[in-house]
Amino acid sequence: MKPFIVVADGFDKNLFEDLKNTTEFEVHPSSKITQDELKEMLPKINGLVIRSSTTITKEYLDLAPNLKYVIRAGAGTDNIDKASCQEVGVKVSNTPGANNNSAAEHAVALMMTVLRKTAWAHKTMSNGGWDKSKFTGNELANKKVGILGFGQIGQIVAKRIGGFDPEVQFFDPFQEGSDLSYVSKCDDLKKLFSESDIITIHTPLMDATRGIVNKELLSLMKPNAILINAARGGIVNEEDLFETLKEGKIRGAGFDVFATEPLEENSKLRTLENLVMTPHLGASTEEAQFRVGEMAVHQLKEFFINENLLNEVRV
């Protein structure tokens, strides 16, 4: 019997056609399904490709006795209960690196949006206004930028903003330094927050980083500083963020990720006038979608046809 493959959260159209045309597979004809549809199909699924919209819980695994392989089309796997997967013998992979440039560029876009107040200016223009005097912003040039997490995405951010002649410091216990002349390592997280004009977060969500950006760190930021998070929700304590922004203790923030996604309709964060929000768009470029899809298709073929497991992620 052919492995039954389901793609749950969307896929590049041409790559999905390639997957469906793989004679060794039976592929569900839609590349985007609802969670209710997914639950109905779980008992017969052998291979599952997800993005951020689907969370693989023990409940899902209990409904999927024939599931052998889950691919997270992206880097972060915090939406997969990897411990439960290991218990029942389900292999987990991601597509490392495919989203990196898109995520880094989105962080830079949020920086510029907050600094130059373009989102707010656009809103007033759409409502018929011309409030030029309200939207005096700040330059990125020559600013002190603090990067929390200096893995591949953090390093790309540092490269992308290099033309603005910044002074960049990073905090990351697992990175020793950088080849970029304007980048240095900071061993004190409090120092990073107190000295930077811009803080941008690029660390994964794990036990050690959950809620790491809290009231204490936020209180150390300069009054004119901004905070950017295009990494993972949960790294920043959102209650502390709300209070900090509501009281105007920092200039503003730009967030692409939230502790609960989709963000609740009645979330207090939606009421803030100094917070720019986007609905987890970091990897939402055509280029990134193609790269993650290409890797996922290759990994499915290697696993089910050649019995070769690529990019395994364990607890």
Side-chain angles (χ1 to χ4, degrees), residues 67-305:
L67 184 63
K68 303 297 181 185
Y69 192 29
V70 176
I71 297 177
R72 168 65 164 92
T77 57
D78 47 281
N79 58 328
I80 300 174
D81 184 343
K82 294 179 286 295
S84 292
C85 285
Q86 285 183 205
E87 287 179 8
V88 297
V90 174
K91 300 298 184 182
V92 177
S93 292
N94 63 354
T95 57
N99 291 338
N100 288 355
N101 188 69
S102 292
E105 289 189 2
H106 193 61
V108 177
L110 287 172
M111 282 183 208
M112 298 303 299
T113 299
V114 178
L115 285 170
R116 296 307 303 269
K117 303 182 180 179
T118 50
W120 299 286
H122 170 76
K123 184 177 181 179
T124 62
M125 290 285 287
S126 296
N127 292 330
W130 184 271
D131 300 320
K132 183 175 180 180
S133 62
K134 289 184 179 180
F135 300 114
T136 301
N138 295 96
E139 297 179 356
L140 177 54
N142 302 305
K143 292 296 186 292
K144 293 183 178 180
V145 180
I147 301 179
L148 174 54
F150 203 62
Q152 293 181 353
I153 296 175
Q155 292 174 39
I156 294 172
V157 169
K159 291 178 182 177
R160 295 291 179 266
I161 65 174
F164 291 91
D165 297 321
E167 178 184 334
V168 177
Q169 292 188 94
F170 72 87
F171 178 88
D172 191 322
F174 304 102
Q175 297 290 338
E176 292 302 319
S178 170
D179 294 333
L180 300 173
S181 61
Y182 52 88
V183 177
S184 61
K185 181 173 182 176
C186 178
D187 290 319
D188 186 338
L189 189 55
K190 293 181 179 179
K191 181 173 182 286
L192 186 82
F193 270 72
S194 64
E195 293 185 351
S196 300
D197 301 304
I198 300 163
I199 294 286
T200 181
I201 298 170
H202 299 288
T203 183
L205 178 64
M206 58 184 85
D207 289 342
T209 62
R210 189 178 300 277
I212 191 173
V213 180
N214 54 22
K215 184 177 182 179
E216 180 184 10
L217 284 178
L218 293 170
S219 69
L220 298 174
M221 294 178 69
K222 299 177 181 179
N224 287 331
I226 69 170
L227 177 68
I228 304 297
N229 188 7
R232 279 290 181 270
I235 296 170
V236 179
N237 182 305
E238 290 180 356
E239 185 63 35
D240 293 345
L241 173 70
F242 175 81
E243 295 299 330
T244 298
L245 292 172
K246 183 71 174 177
E247 296 172 11
K249 293 182 177 179
I250 63 175
R251 180 175 292 274
F255 272 55
D256 185 47
V257 290
F258 304 91
T260 300
E261 295 183 358
L263 182 66
E264 301 96 328
E265 187 175 347
N266 63 349
S267 170
K268 294 189 296 184
L269 296 177
R270 296 182 185 269
T271 68
L272 293 167
E273 296 182 357
N274 52 354
L275 174 63
V276 171
M277 297 181 290
T278 53
H280 206 144
L281 298 179
S284 296
T285 64
E286 293 180 2
E287 294 87 349
Q289 296 286 320
F290 181 83
R291 287 191 296 265
V292 297
E294 187 176 43
M295 290 182 71
V297 169
H298 178 63
Q299 289 172 188
L300 284 170
K301 292 178 179 178
E302 284 295 308
F303 181 81
F304 286 107
I305 299 173

Side-chain angles (χ1 to χ4, degrees), residues 21-70:
N21 291 332
T22 303
T23 57
E24 291 89 347
F25 294 154
E26 177 189 355
V27 179
H28 181 69
S30 176
S31 64
K32 189 174 181 62
I33 59 176
T34 68
Q35 294 303 293
D36 288 338
E37 290 172 329
L38 176 59
K39 285 184 177 181
E40 287 182 10
M41 287 185 281
L42 280 173
K44 64 175 184 176
I45 295 176
N46 304 118
L48 177 61
V49 181
I50 66 170
R51 293 184 61 80
S52 58
S53 297
T54 297
T55 299
I56 302 300
T57 62
K58 186 178 185 302
E59 175 193 359
Y60 275 41
L61 294 171
D62 289 343
L63 296 172
N66 296 302
L67 184 63
K68 303 297 181 185
Y69 192 29
V70 176

